[in-house]
Amino acid sequence: MPKLKSSRVRFENEEFEPERPLKKARTHSVATEQSLWAKSCSHRLGILPSGNLLLANSEQRQNIRPGGLGLFNLLPDSVLLLLLSTFDATNLYTLAGVSRAFFAYATHEALWKDLYVSRAEGVLDSWDGSWRYTYLRRFGGLSEKPTEGIRTPGLFSDELFQPALCSKTSLRPYFFPHPTRSRSTILKHRRADLDTDTFKDLYARTSKPVLITGALDTWPAYSTDLWSMEMLERRFEGVTFRAEALDCPFRVYNQYVQDCDEEDSPLYLFDSRFVEKTGGIMGDEYTPPETFGRDFFELLGPERPDYRWLIVGPARSGSTFHKDPNGTSAWNAVISGSKGWVLFPPETAPPGVYTNDDESEVTSPLSIPEWFLTYFDVAWETYGPHAKRSENRGKMIIGVCGPGEVVPSGWWHLVVNLEESIAVTQNFVSENEVGITIPSGTRTYSTHHSLPSQLSNVLRFMNDKPDQISGFKSSLPPEEICVRFVKALQLAAPTPFQRASADFANKARSVARKRSVWDSLASPENERVVSGSAEEGASRTSAFTFGFLVDDDDDDDEEIGI
């Protein structure tokens, strides 16, 4: 029988339609695609996730864990690594020579990073590509054996594979799901079209994060190459900068940035003394934006808390979810590179982030890539612009900051470098609740405001959470720090202080009205009084209170109860 050939029938009135091009044939199978992806995320030793053990038969792959670990095979990976964390470098080094399986566990980078930090006395004076090599070459005493060719196929471990997966996962697709289109949902406003009053009305007082573009054009730090990695290394050769728990010359940190591909959570240079360390030079090369008003913490003079930081890091480095310290706001200007921002309102804890009642303790995933791999999709589905529940829709805000942007005070925010980036940030206290992020290539800012005022929020924070006050260099108790700040405000800024006092007192009265009679009777010693006399406040609180007697016609009626 002749083979039938099908063809498309075209009717008389039908317009001609060109034949659809055939789909491009696959050049490899789905299994091959999966293997290519797995190869791109492969572990340097050939370790695979534990689920792969279920798919591998005895002919394809042998599980080397039981024979390689002996009785230690009874321990789950988390317990085994916890046990190994108690070993010193000599024992860990010796253990690596017992078997291929022990080699994989005993060379785990997290173990050697902890060993280095515990012995280095806060100094990173060289970088040799890994924490293990850096430790061995700095402290010596252990002969370096050729281990580059060692592989451990047949070992299946989520604990060992996870850092490799995180280090090789690009976070850029989370912000750019399409090559030419950003996922950004943050508002944008040109600096040239934004005066202080417009900023307050549109964004500060309405609590809307915004990205302000064109904000850094006059900064020498931005308009020249003075703050490039090469120039910073050359200009400040003898200066050490703080990178998390370690101090290092910029030359060493630059070496680290160029050779840290195996790091799942790279070191983040975050130095609060960079202006002092450079003799004021770097402080003269940028100017805090005037848009956000007066910084009242300046009234504390040399006693003010840490408030400005130089921030440098490679891709994947950054800060996990947090709020700005002491109830302040912050602007964050990206000089070069780009940063991804993920924001949630203050009352909405991000998925995967857990806090106690007063938010003094925050628990979140160990690394930023881990949060994206585990929680980003569900967070976007639950709180993104197309969330099923209308009350959650739009709570999660995404922003991508090129050179020039700003972080919202009071908002939860995660910040990650999408590429090698350099930035500067400052915290401040104004009458307006403002937060910012300044990008580099796009020269941008982003901000936020929470009513009634930032100054009253800071006063409330210092009153309600004295144990969380941070960054002050003096050894003064929190109560004394608060007293000095209030007195400085009364002398130098009486009108803003009076308005903040009224906001503070009104908030306290509102909270008091919500308390039941039983609550008041059952725990009067824990009730924090804000309005009323200073003596009354002092007698009814276990910490300290502001006893504001606010009278709009008489500034002398303002009192402070401690």
Side-chain angles (χ1 to χ4, degrees):
M1 177 181 291
K3 187 175 181 181
L4 297 177
K5 184 177 180 181
S6 63
S7 62
R8 182 171 180 264
V9 178
R10 185 179 298 118
F11 295 94
E12 281 187 25
N13 295 331
E14 183 181 6
E15 294 183 2
F16 175 78
E17 177 182 337
E19 294 289 341
R20 295 181 181 179
L22 296 174
K23 291 184 178 179
K24 187 177 180 180
R26 286 183 179 272
T27 57
H28 44 71
S29 65
V30 174
T32 304
E33 289 179 351
Q34 292 175 341
S35 66
L36 289 174
W37 178 85
K39 185 177 181 180
S40 68
C41 297
S42 62
H43 192 283
R44 59 186 173 83
L45 298 179
I47 297 170
L48 293 173
S50 57
N52 285 258
L53 184 59
L54 301 175
L55 305 176
N57 57 47
S58 57
E59 294 181 359
Q60 294 174 326
R61 195 178 297 275
Q62 181 181 359
N63 182 10
I64 67 172
R65 194 180 194 276
L69 297 185
L71 290 177
F72 285 95
N73 183 55
L74 298 173
L75 301 177
D77 285 351
S78 58
V79 176
L80 177 58
L81 290 172
L82 181 62
L83 175 63
L84 296 184
S85 69
T86 66
F87 284 29
D88 60 21
T90 301
N91 288 325
L92 202 59
Y93 182 82
T94 303
L95 189 66
V98 173
S99 67
R100 288 179 181 270
F102 265 125
F103 179 84
Y105 287 96
T107 58
H108 188 47
E109 273 289 272
L111 298 174
W112 287 93
K113 182 177 182 180
D114 288 345
L115 284 172
Y116 183 91
V117 172
S118 64
R119 187 172 175 181
E121 298 180 344
V123 175
L124 179 65
D125 55 9
S126 65
W127 175 250
D128 294 287
S130 74
W131 291 105
R132 181 168 176 264
Y133 284 145
T134 301
Y135 182 97
L136 295 176
R137 292 178 184 177
R138 175 174 177 182
F139 299 112
L142 299 171
S143 60
E144 288 188 45
K145 299 178 181 179
T147 59
E148 290 298 326
I150 296 178
R151 297 293 182 269
T152 60
L155 189 59
F156 305 86
S157 168
D158 291 340
E159 295 279 347
L160 298 182
F161 184 80
Q162 179 78 0
L165 175 63
C166 290
S167 68
K168 292 178 172 59
T169 297
S170 172
L171 301 183
R172 193 171 185 83
Y174 290 97
F175 297 91
F176 293 92
H178 186 276
T180 60
R181 189 168 58 250
S182 168
R183 198 196 294 263
S184 178
T185 58
I186 195 168
L187 297 172
K188 293 186 178 181
H189 204 123
R190 292 176 54 198
R191 175 65 183 88
D193 302 328
L194 188 65
D195 57 29
T196 302
D197 291 336
T198 303
F199 169 75
K200 290 180 181 179
D201 293 338
L202 293 182
Y203 305 112
R205 291 171 179 164
T206 57
S207 187
K208 292 181 180 178
V210 60
L211 193 69
I212 307 175
T213 62
L216 308 184
D217 294 346
T218 61
W219 289 14
Y222 174 74
S223 59
T224 69
D225 65 348
L226 290 175
W227 283 32
S228 66
M229 297 290 284
E230 295 74 16
M231 285 297 292
L232 289 175
E233 177 180 336
R234 189 184 312 165
R235 296 171 69 201
F236 307 113
E237 183 177 359
V239 178
T240 59
F241 295 90
R242 191 71 171 176
E244 298 182 22
L246 300 168
D247 289 319
C248 57
F250 203 89
R251 170 186 56 81
V252 173
Y253 185 72
N254 196 9
Q255 290 175 352
Y256 172 86
V257 168
Q258 307 308 320
D259 188 18
C260 63
D261 292 341
E262 297 291 329
E263 292 275 80
D264 63 319
S265 185
L267 280 181
Y268 203 26
L269 191 151
F270 207 81
D271 196 303
S272 63
R273 307 291 295 169
F274 73 100
V275 172
E276 292 81 359
K277 290 178 179 179
T278 59
I281 294 175
M282 295 188 75
D284 294 334
E285 294 171 348
Y286 75 95
T287 305
E290 298 178 356
T291 307
F292 314 115
R294 182 180 184 183
D295 181 3
F296 290 114
F297 262 160
E298 289 181 347
L299 300 177
L300 288 174
E303 293 181 345
R304 74 170 300 165
D306 293 337
Y307 67 102
R308 56 189 176 191
W309 290 266
L310 173 67
I311 310 174
V312 185
R316 303 187 315 282
S317 64
S319 55
T320 56
F321 280 107
H322 65 284
K323 295 181 182 179
D324 291 314
N326 303 323
T328 62
S329 293
W331 55 261
N332 181 318
V334 181
I335 306 300
S336 62
S338 61
K339 292 175 179 286
W341 297 80
V342 182
L343 310 168
F344 286 88
E347 71 280 0
T348 304
V353 176
Y354 305 95
T355 70
N356 56 355
D357 290 341
D358 64 355
E359 298 181 350
S360 60
E361 298 180 6
V362 178
T363 302
S364 61
L366 297 179
S367 71
I368 293 175
E370 188 176 356
W371 185 86
F372 279 90
L373 287 167
T374 308
Y375 295 105
F376 181 90
D377 288 339
V378 67
W380 188 249
E381 182 179 346
T382 306
Y383 297 105
H386 305 295
K388 293 181 180 179
R389 302 183 63 173
S390 58
E391 63 270 23
N392 289 338
R393 205 167 293 152
K395 284 188 173 182
M396 180 179 178
I397 295 178
I398 300 292
V400 177
C401 313
E405 274 168 30
V406 192
V407 164
S409 166
W411 279 56
W412 290 101
H413 53 280
L414 172 152
V415 188
V416 61
N417 289 332
L418 302 181
E419 58 187 308
E420 180 183 302
S421 301
I422 299 175
V424 61
T425 183
Q426 284 196 190
N427 287 73
F428 63 95
V429 182
S430 73
E431 276 200 279
N432 302 301
E433 184 76 5
V434 186
I436 315 166
T437 321
I438 310 177
S440 69
T442 56
R443 316 167 186 82
T444 316
Y445 277 119
S446 87
T447 62
H448 155 79
H449 173 89
S450 275
L451 294 174
S453 77
Q454 183 192 17
L455 182 55
S456 66
N457 284 350
V458 171
L459 293 175
R460 188 178 302 112
F461 181 93
M462 299 177 85
N463 180 69
D464 294 345
K465 303 178 180 181
D467 57 319
Q468 297 182 40
I469 295 176
S470 62
F472 287 87
K473 302 172 185 63
S474 67
S475 58
L476 294 173
E479 294 87 346
E480 180 60 27
I481 292 172
C482 187
V483 170
R484 294 192 180 194
F485 183 44
V486 170
K487 288 182 176 179
L489 286 170
Q490 287 179 312
L491 291 174
T495 301
F497 173 72
Q498 186 173 356
R499 284 195 290 263
S501 302
D503 289 340
F504 189 96
N506 291 335
K507 178 68 175 178
R509 294 188 189 102
S510 174
V511 172
R513 282 194 294 270
K514 294 179 182 178
R515 290 175 59 88
S516 68
V517 175
W518 172 254
D519 290 335
S520 299
L521 293 176
S523 57
E525 70 280 0
N526 294 326
E527 183 176 359
R528 198 177 291 275
V529 179
V530 184
S531 59
S533 68
E535 293 78 13
E536 180 185 7
S539 65
R540 296 179 63 186
T541 181
S542 58
F544 68 97
T545 65
F546 294 107
F548 295 133
L549 291 177
V550 180
D551 187 336
D552 291 341
D553 298 326
D554 188 357
D555 290 348
D556 294 333
D557 284 341
E558 296 173 1
E559 297 180 3
I560 309 167
I562 301 298

